[in-house]
Amino acid sequence: MKTHARVVVIGGGVVGCSTLYHLTKMGWNDVVMVEKDELTSGSTWHAAGNVPTYSGNLNIMKMQRYTTKLYSKLADEVDYPFNYHVTGSIRTANNRHRMDEFKHVVAMANSHGLEYEMLTPDEMKERHPFMELHNMEGGLWDPYDGDIDPSQVTQALAKGARDGGAEIHRFNPVDAVKQLPNGEWEVSTKEGTITCEILVNAAGYYGGEVAKMMGVEIPVISMSHQYLVTEGIAELENYGDNLPLLRDPDDSYYLRKERDGLILGPYEWKATAMWQDGLPDNFAYQLWDDDLERLEWYIEQAMARVPILGTVGVKNVINGPIPYAPDGNPYVGPVHGLRNAFHACSFSFGVCQGGGAGKILAEQIVEGESEWDMWSIDPRRYTDHANHHYVIKKAIELYQHEYAIGFPGESRPAGRPAKTTPVYDKLKAKRAYFTTANGWERAAWFVPEGEEMKQELSFKREEQNWYNAVATEVKNTRENAGICDMGGFSKFFLEGDGATDWLNKMICGTLPKVGRVRLVYMLNKQGGIVSEFTITRLEEEKYILIGASGAEWHDKDWLEAHLPEDGSLSLENKTARYGTLVLTGPKARDILSQVTSTSLSNEDFPWMSHQEIEIGMAKMLALRVSYVGELGWELHVPMEFLGGVYELICQVGEPMGLKDFGAFAMDSMRLEKGYLSWQADITKEFSPLMASLDRFVSLNKDADFIGKEALAKEAAEGVKKRLVTFKLDNCPFDAPLEAPIHKDGELVGAAASSGYSHMLGHLISYGYIRTDLAEVGTEVEFSIHGEKVKGVVTEQCLYDPEYAKIRA
């Protein structure tokens, strides 16, 4: 084994080999893999080998579709034959909610060339003659689904990597890893020590153990997943490879042909997390004893659906470990707090995602960014609340809901509450129904007296039991005043000589003057939006950067990676130190003036300015901003004073009409105002020019900010697509993310965030469309859960476009 490499990949499963293969395809051949046992000896070898493209998340769907395309050509490319059967698959639906979900996924998939179909029960029977149709509403057809031999395809990827110059060292366990002062990594193995510029943790269900060697933790736990293989079935002996894979998501199992028998793999309610007290030193090519009692109900359902399953016995049972993150998605991307380190582990569906994951990670390593914004699998989407206890609770819950419908607004209870502010119990007493943001509990809406404290889920707005409550909260906030506890906003304090010059090179716009506040955007080299911050300038060289709650670790890494190496600047993450109360509405000034002596007049406290004020015994930073478009303030209060400040404001405000509002009402109001949301409306795939944020771009400023060259080039060549606001009428659904937009039958864009305007009485959707169509009055057609809905381009701000209320 060589003593130095550009990249070392730890772990020889399908994801590790794919990463190695893609690095060589991008021209990096000084790359090495170390594997503690044989290639595929972890979860890969015992995987069922299913290769779907289906996902409710577009970029995960793209990742999986890339995998199927790669597998279809890989054997010929590297001259390593393997078994790959593209059979197509049927996903069944036994209720209208599932049908609503399928209709959206089909439209989203087809807008990207995947050729999905909605099927009637009779059409399902034509494609799968052995299935029964009781309780069937319909189904979904994925023509690219199928099955593959996991070990063979992994060996093919390994051969391709070797052909490209990579080295692979099997039976070579890693004992320790250490980062050197120059940023390189020292990897100690059985065969010796190797240093590398970049380290990749692709250790599968041992990914958590390797992470600990690196000095970090990732929330991952191994779940016991069982599938059974039947004896040969006479009816299948001469059927060939044309029988589609069958998934019944409502009864939670998959069923497919395997030689002349069937494979049945349920995701059962009695989900079992293994190795809760730590992993064994070596668990390679091993399985656990079967536990078919857990699967009994699911086997009965599958036999009723496909009766030939019950005509033969079970040949063998596979019961092996599958790693799970709290949300079931893998970790692919930079490691928080470390330089030159990446995770590529915790894949619950590694075979179908492995090809695309290798592409994504290789692009991040070589080019600094991947083609697609992959925040849904970024390791930094979880922060310090996601510990061992949390991941066990959430992984069990997720496994139980593996095929559950992805309803809008759903918030599941496991692992909660994790982070709470001092206002949490007060809101709970007021009948708040909570959602979460980066582990922080936030009121979603307030359940009226006499109604049950539960969430009734549906894609149709008026079947959601929060619809009327949210309407009431919006109305009161717009007409009187509302208060909202928004725990978890990321808060970074920056100071030091040169802070202003440094920030000016980090943002694409201009900085506020001392005493003022401004919204700014940071870009990558490609001109895509990396981060959004509200910047408060306290002094000439002292700032506070406030960002999205979910972006805390992501933003911290981005800022720290670009700080001057001389240590001249101080950056502190004080997210947990301060809570945030939003006080907004026409009566906000009258209410706030009752609890502070600070003058709140427009002359003394204008819009987009800040001051330190006192309420009761607490000092806090007050920002004259409002995400809902009304007169208002954000109060950033030391956490120990937050409860008392909230009570004081409520005490004087309630007689004046002040009431609490939740995150759902805030989302409705920000849509009315034309305000965007990170990761819903703005991602790395879009520049600020595409996002119609031109007013926050200053290409003429002296500072050579990150992404300036790409942005200038885009401005000179013309922006190809724009984010615009649409008004939609007569639609019972909100437009889901990535709902296709057509003009005269031609695909011209896709929806971003959307929601119902309770003040204006119609649906609002943001969407990216072709620039030539981004004119007010242009009529288009949205595909929303199977319905064709007319949309009209409007002004970006539909509520108070003159900004009179927010400046009042």
Side-chain angles (χ1 to χ4, degrees):
M1 184 174 70
K2 61 175 68 175
T3 59
H4 189 277
R6 201 168 188 181
V7 181
V8 167
V9 177
I10 301 175
V14 65
V15 177
C17 289
S18 176
T19 301
L20 208 65
Y21 165 84
H22 282 91
L23 284 169
T24 62
K25 294 292 285 185
M26 296 186 72
W28 285 31
N29 53 20
D30 183 16
V31 292
V32 172
M33 171 181 286
V34 289
E35 159 59 43
K36 69 187 300 182
D37 203 274
E38 181 57 271
L39 299 184
T40 80
S41 60
S43 291
T44 300
W45 79 270
H46 64 74
N50 302 327
V51 192
T53 62
Y54 180 98
S55 176
N57 178 290
L58 177 61
N59 282 349
I60 289 179
M61 181 182 283
K62 289 179 181 178
M63 174 173 70
Q64 294 172 177
R65 177 59 179 136
Y66 175 88
T67 298
T68 63
K69 289 181 177 179
L70 173 65
Y71 291 170
S72 68
K73 65 181 182 180
L74 182 66
D76 291 336
E77 177 194 320
V78 303
D79 192 23
Y80 193 101
F82 51 81
N83 293 319
Y84 181 28
H85 311 120
V86 180
T87 62
S89 70
I90 296 170
R91 289 177 184 260
T92 63
N94 64 23
N95 60 76
R96 66 177 176 83
H97 296 303
R98 182 72 68 180
M99 290 291 284
D100 288 341
E101 179 181 54
F102 282 174
K103 289 172 184 175
H104 166 60
V105 173
V106 166
M108 179 176 70
N110 290 351
S111 69
H112 290 270
L114 269 75
E115 302 173 290
Y116 280 20
E117 296 178 43
M118 291 297 296
L119 300 178
T120 66
D122 288 342
E123 289 170 334
M124 294 158 61
K125 183 76 171 180
E126 288 175 8
R127 301 187 190 210
H128 198 301
F130 304 108
M131 71 179 294
E132 299 296 321
L133 300 178
H134 54 274
N135 302 326
M136 277 293 105
E137 293 276 339
L140 177 149
W141 174 252
D142 173 0
Y144 303 105
D145 206 337
D147 63 271
I148 201 166
D149 185 304
S151 295
Q152 289 178 351
V153 74
T154 302
Q155 294 291 351
L157 288 164
K159 182 178 185 300
R162 289 190 185 100
D163 291 346
E167 290 185 11
I168 297 177
H169 296 268
R170 301 167 299 149
F171 306 102
N172 188 26
V174 173
D175 302 315
V177 299
K178 179 176 70 174
Q179 190 156 37
L180 304 175
N182 66 355
E184 292 192 336
W185 288 89
E186 184 179 87
V187 184
S188 300
T189 76
K190 179 182 177 182
E191 293 183 11
T193 299
I194 180 171
T195 58
C196 59
E197 298 173 22
I198 295 170
L199 183 65
V200 176
N201 170 18
Y205 52 73
Y206 278 97
E209 305 304 301
V210 172
K212 289 176 184 176
M213 292 184 191
M214 299 163 73
V216 298
E217 291 192 11
I218 54 172
V220 57
I221 193 72
S222 292
M223 300 296 295
S224 161
H225 178 62
Q226 298 183 88
Y227 65 88
L228 58 89
V229 185
T230 74
E231 298 170 341
I233 300 172
E235 290 88 339
L236 299 180
E237 288 179 1
N238 300 312
Y239 206 85
D241 296 328
N242 298 320
L243 187 68
L245 189 150
L246 180 68
R247 286 187 178 82
D248 187 332
D250 297 309
D251 285 342
S252 195
Y253 65 81
Y254 58 84
L255 183 71
R256 73 165 171 84
K257 185 175 178 290
E258 174 72 3
R259 294 193 172 92
D260 294 334
L262 291 169
I263 283 181
L264 172 65
Y267 291 89
E268 73 276 15
W269 195 255
K270 294 181 181 178
T272 304
M274 308 297 287
W275 297 329
Q276 296 188 33
D277 297 324
L279 275 68
D281 290 336
N282 190 30
F283 192 87
Y285 290 115
Q286 299 173 55
L287 297 170
W288 296 307
D289 294 336
D290 61 83
D291 184 7
L292 289 180
E293 280 190 20
R294 286 169 27 200
L295 308 185
E296 184 176 338
W297 183 88
Y298 304 87
I299 295 171
E300 291 174 354
Q301 302 310 304
M303 288 192 300
R305 181 66 63 202
V306 182
I308 60 171
L309 175 66
T311 63
V312 294
V314 175
K315 184 166 65 176
N316 54 47
V317 178
I318 306 297
N319 184 9
I322 297 182
Y324 263 75
D327 59 4
N329 286 339
Y331 299 118
V332 180
V335 179
H336 170 61
L338 297 178
R339 291 178 293 160
N340 308 323
F342 295 82
H343 289 314
C345 58
S346 189
F347 283 79
S348 306
F349 301 96
V351 177
C352 76
Q353 296 177 345
K359 162 190 153 62
I360 291 163
L361 193 64
E363 289 171 346
Q364 291 178 344
I365 291 171
V366 176
E367 299 175 350
E369 292 287 355
S370 54
E371 177 183 359
W372 312 308
D373 188 299
M374 298 306 300
W375 177 247
S376 58
I377 60 175
D378 193 298
R380 298 164 298 184
R381 67 188 188 272
Y382 288 107
T383 60
D384 52 357
H385 67 285
N387 60 13
H388 187 61
H389 172 81
Y390 179 88
V391 70
I392 291 172
K393 296 289 187 182
K394 295 303 287 187
I396 289 173
E397 179 185 62
L398 189 280
Y399 191 93
Q400 292 170 335
H401 294 83
E402 185 61 66
Y403 286 130
I405 297 170
F407 285 113
E410 183 175 14
S411 194
R412 295 178 187 155
R416 297 172 56 194
K419 301 177 185 178
T420 61
T421 76
V423 180
Y424 172 76
D425 287 331
K426 303 176 192 300
L427 300 180
K428 195 173 182 180
K430 291 183 174 182
R431 299 178 58 80
Y433 195 97
F434 290 92
T435 184
T436 62
N438 189 25
W440 290 90
E441 295 289 327
R442 288 179 176 177
W445 87 96
F446 290 82
V447 181
E449 291 290 342
E451 295 186 13
E452 191 174 351
M453 290 291 296
K454 68 175 184 178
Q455 198 173 26
E456 294 176 358
L457 300 168
S458 176
F459 291 104
K460 291 187 175 180
R461 282 188 306 276
E462 294 190 7
E463 293 177 354
Q464 300 164 347
N465 64 324
W466 59 86
Y467 176 82
N468 291 329
V470 170
T472 300
E473 293 170 27
V474 169
K475 186 174 187 294
N476 185 74
T477 302
R478 293 286 194 218
E479 295 180 354
N480 297 302
I483 188 168
C484 182
D485 174 38
M486 294 294 286
F489 276 132
S490 301
K491 302 179 184 72
F492 301 96
F493 285 61
L494 174 75
E495 62 180 307
D497 290 340
T500 298
D501 288 341
W502 178 78
L503 266 181
N504 213 16
K505 295 175 182 177
M506 292 293 293
I507 67 170
C508 64
T510 57
L511 291 168
K513 297 177 180 179
V514 174
R516 306 293 289 189
V517 178
R518 182 163 291 171
L519 190 65
V520 302
Y521 294 90
M522 295 186 182
L523 315 180
N524 57 28
K525 291 180 180 178
Q526 294 80 8
I529 300 173
V530 172
S531 299
E532 177 189 65
F533 292 107
T534 299
I535 287 190
T536 300
R537 191 168 185 176
L538 303 176
E539 299 173 11
E540 286 294 334
E541 302 284 3
K542 188 174 183 179
Y543 298 85
I544 301 176
L545 284 68
I546 301 174
S549 58
E552 179 185 352
W553 279 7
H554 168 278
D555 287 347
K556 185 172 185 288
D557 282 350
W558 180 258
L559 294 169
E560 289 183 342
H562 293 89
L563 285 175
E565 294 183 1
D566 61 8
S568 57
L569 300 185
S570 167
L571 181 74
E572 288 188 79
N573 180 5
K574 296 188 178 183
T575 298
R577 179 71 185 91
Y578 293 90
T580 302
L581 296 175
V582 175
L583 175 63
T584 189
K587 298 179 181 178
R589 179 181 286 115
D590 296 336
I591 294 168
L592 192 58
S593 65
Q594 299 297 307
V595 293
T596 184
S597 59
T598 300
S599 173
L600 304 176
S601 69
N602 269 324
E603 293 74 22
D604 296 331
F605 207 146
W607 181 49
M608 299 299 287
S609 69
H610 68 84
Q611 291 190 44
E612 184 180 81
I613 70 171
E614 292 186 7
I615 297 177
M617 290 168 281
K619 289 183 179 180
M620 69 205 65
L621 181 68
L623 310 185
R624 173 87 187 273
V625 295
S626 172
Y627 194 45
V628 306
E630 298 286 349
L631 169 69
W633 282 262
E634 284 182 6
L635 306 176
H636 297 276
V637 187
M639 200 65 83
E640 65 270 26
F641 292 107
L642 190 71
V645 170
Y646 170 80
E647 287 189 345
L648 276 172
I649 294 173
C650 289
Q651 182 179 344
V652 302
E654 286 173 1
M656 304 170 69
L658 177 68
K659 293 182 180 179
D660 296 273
F661 68 95
F664 289 179
M666 177 172 284
D667 197 56
S668 174
M669 289 186 282
R670 67 96 183 171
L671 284 164
E672 294 171 342
K673 192 60 186 169
Y675 293 155
L676 308 186
S677 176
W678 186 74
Q679 284 303 316
D681 308 310
I682 47 178
T683 74
K684 296 176 185 178
E685 294 185 31
F686 302 113
S687 73
L689 302 181
M690 292 181 189
S692 297
L693 297 169
D694 308 56
R695 63 194 184 280
F696 299 104
V697 174
S698 179
L699 286 171
N700 296 323
K701 72 176 185 177
D702 293 336
D704 190 18
F705 61 85
I706 299 171
K708 184 176 183 179
E709 182 178 345
L711 213 58
K713 183 174 185 288
E714 182 184 26
E717 294 178 351
V719 181
K720 292 181 173 58
K721 61 176 68 173
R722 283 277 193 178
L723 181 75
V724 298
T725 303
F726 295 94
K727 174 184 175 182
L728 293 84
D729 290 319
N730 303 318
C731 182
F733 307 99
D734 291 345
L737 197 64
E738 297 296 341
I741 303 172
H742 291 85
K743 174 69 173 176
D744 299 328
E746 181 184 358
L747 180 70
V748 296
S753 58
S754 77
Y756 190 74
S757 168
H758 292 279
M759 291 301 293
L760 304 177
H762 60 75
L763 179 63
I764 295 173
S765 179
Y766 300 157
Y768 283 90
I769 62 168
R770 241 172 39 205
T771 303
D772 62 299
L773 300 175
E775 298 291 333
V776 173
T778 300
E779 294 186 2
V780 297
E781 186 178 74
F782 280 68
S783 296
I784 302 179
H785 295 295
E787 295 193 10
K788 303 300 183 184
V789 181
K790 187 179 85 169
V792 180
V793 178
T794 69
E795 300 291 348
Q796 183 174 4
C797 176
L798 291 173
Y799 178 80
D800 185 30
E802 293 79 23
Y803 284 68
K805 294 179 180 294
I806 205 168
R807 299 173 187 267

